[in-house]
Amino acid sequence: MDLSPECWVSDKLALLVEHTLPPSYTRDDEQAIYLWDVFSTELPVMVYRMHERVPFPHVGGTPDGRWIYYIYDRAATIISPSEGSEIRVEEVYGFAMDYIVLDGIPRCFAAWGACQLSNPEEPSRLRIAALDASEGEVRIVHMKETIIPEIRSESKISDWIKCVLISSKLGIVYVLTYESRVHLVDVGSGTLLYSTVLPEVEHGFVDDERAHMLPDGITGFLPPIFRDRDGYRLRVNEDFLIPYIRRNFKYDENLAMAISGRTGLGGAEDLWMKHYPN
């Protein structure tokens, strides 16, 4: 058995995949995913036995290892190891999973891009799903879908999703597209909060190590995006997030209140007083 580290889900937990393919490779061979506590003297623990053998799947999960997933051939299998249950979603372009506290309840959320490469005029979509396994099976309890803007509105050419990342602290999904655009989407409502084009990008990567300020309309809302050996790094300036939302979504006070209440960020105190005077 050959165990190879595939994904660090926290600073001490790693998911490993048994992926040595036998000479007589068949789809019926068993394959498994293991959870390894690197600070423990115990051997890696098998948490999921795959129904099919796939060569080098991409695996990931939540920081506590209670939810895991693997992606192969543009399909993601979402697994609750404790319940021994799973659900499968197709046509996946970029995938992320993490916990977010929504309405006072910590939930596991998954986000992924859905693109139709066969139809370039069909817009790409970001799907955000809240997951539940309390009844013994993995279920999507609610789904939000956000349309990603076209490259050029007059040409109706879709901008396909390349990478997705969830900020568990802010409850925001970051989306990076193949045309070097960054979109920020609110998990709770599916609202597209912010879009911009990465400057000085060639083939999806920043040319050098210098930081690049983004045009945002409010100084400091988005600090520099820069690239290191791990890829892009992007961080929202929390002090400007709620004021930015209130300025750009004036007629949706609930959005600013929801994000402020979820994150504890200031900037919506007067709205709370207005709606809940007592």
Side-chain angles (χ1 to χ4, degrees), residues 86-142:
E86 64 188 56
I87 191 172
R88 184 181 177 96
V89 294
E90 306 285 347
E91 296 300 319
V92 169
Y93 292 81
F95 190 92
M97 175 187 289
D98 212 332
Y99 291 111
I100 295 173
V101 177
L102 199 62
D103 298 326
I105 302 173
R107 290 189 179 275
C108 180
F109 281 83
W112 65 91
C115 312
Q116 294 188 16
L117 302 189
S118 59
N119 184 5
E121 294 186 359
E122 180 69 21
S124 299
R125 302 172 189 272
L126 175 71
R127 290 175 178 162
I128 305 172
L131 306 172
D132 180 74
S134 60
E135 298 180 3
E137 64 178 3
V138 176
R139 298 179 300 119
I140 294 177
V141 292
H142 75 257

Side-chain angles (χ1 to χ4, degrees), residues 18 28 36 41 45-46 68 82 105 125-126 132 134 140 156 163-165 186 193 204 208 211 214 233 237 248 261:
E18 179 190 354
D28 296 325
W36 180 36
T41 57
V45 177
M46 185 179 70
I68 62 176
S82 62
I105 302 173
R125 302 172 189 272
L126 175 71
D132 180 74
S134 60
I140 294 177
K156 300 296 183 182
C163 178
V164 175
L165 179 66
D186 173 49
L193 300 175
D208 53 39
L214 299 180
R233 293 183 180 272
N237 187 327
N248 290 274

Side-chain angles (χ1 to χ4, degrees), residues 38 47 69 111 128 132 230 236 270:
V38 297
V47 293
Y69 65 86
I128 305 172
D132 180 74
D230 298 322
V236 171
D270 59 316

Side-chain angles (χ1 to χ4, degrees), residues 194-196 214-222 240 243-244 247-248:
Y194 182 85
S195 298
T196 192
L214 299 180
D216 51 54
I218 293 184
T219 302
F221 169 57
L222 285 178
F240 288 87
Y244 170 85
R247 172 181 171 179
N248 290 274

